[in-house]
Amino acid sequence: MFNAEFVSGMALLGAGIAMIAGLGPGIGQGIAASKGAEAVGRNPEAAGKIRSIMVLGIALAETTGIYSLIIALILIFLKA
Amino acid sequence: MFNAEFVSGMALLGAGIAMIAGLGPGIGQGIAASKGAEAVGRNPEAAGKIRSIMVLGIALAETTGIYSLIIALILIFLKA
Amino acid sequence: MFNAEFVSGMALLGAGIAMIAGLGPGIGQGIAASKGAEAVGRNPEAAGKIRSIMVLGIALAETTGIYSLIIALILIFLKA
């Protein structure tokens, strides 16, 4: 019979599965960093401006990873 | 019947699944390193600036991998 | 009924799943090595600087693979 322990177990399993999403920002942010390095190599004097726009883009790409983290924490601490 | 051992088992399985996210930063950071190497080859005099922005981007790309590590450790030591 | 053997079994399964992450650094570091080789071919005089930044990037791309290794070892030796 399904009971409260089943619910807790599924919540914890779900928390782990949610974190898989973190692979996306990891890939995307790395690509952004790659083009940042390339751009600085081509125009070192623009390094400050290149860094600013790269960090902005990386910060925006981080959001879905944070969504997963929030959901995982909710599953773990409020539902398990 | 589902019991505390079921919950612990799911927590440990979830911890392992959460770590899958680490493949993302691995790919992204490698791409960043690839363009860093290319940029230094083209403009060795800007190596310092290229290294700075590459390391910054790689550090930011690491974050979701660390989120997964944190969730895995929580699942293992607080919930299993 | 779920028992201690179930917990151990899930811990060991989770340890194996955690290692899937290793495919990411493997791909990324290979891309970094590919561009490192290309850059040295184009500008052999900068080989030292290219090698330095490539090795730095590859070392940083290794980290999430090490996280997975640590979690797998914890699951195997502390929880199974």
Side-chain angles (χ1 to χ4, degrees), chain A residues 1-42:
Chain A
M1 199 171 68
F2 296 101
N3 55 16
E5 279 72 23
F6 176 77
V7 175
S8 292
M10 289 296 107
L12 297 175
L13 180 60
I17 292 171
M19 299 312 294
I20 295 175
L23 72 88
I27 296 172
Q29 292 166 342
I31 294 172
S34 78
K35 286 293 184 180
E38 189 179 57
V40 168
R42 282 189 183 165

Side-chain angles (χ1 to χ4, degrees), chain B residues 11-36:
Chain B
L12 296 175
L13 181 59
I17 292 172
M19 298 312 294
I20 294 174
L23 73 88
I27 296 173
Q29 292 165 344
I31 294 172
S34 78
K35 286 291 186 180

Side-chain angles (χ1 to χ4, degrees), chain C residues 4 6 8 11 24 34 45 47 58 62 65 73 75:
Chain C
F6 176 78
S8 294
S34 78
E45 288 167 16
I58 284 179
E62 183 80 2
L73 290 171
L75 286 170

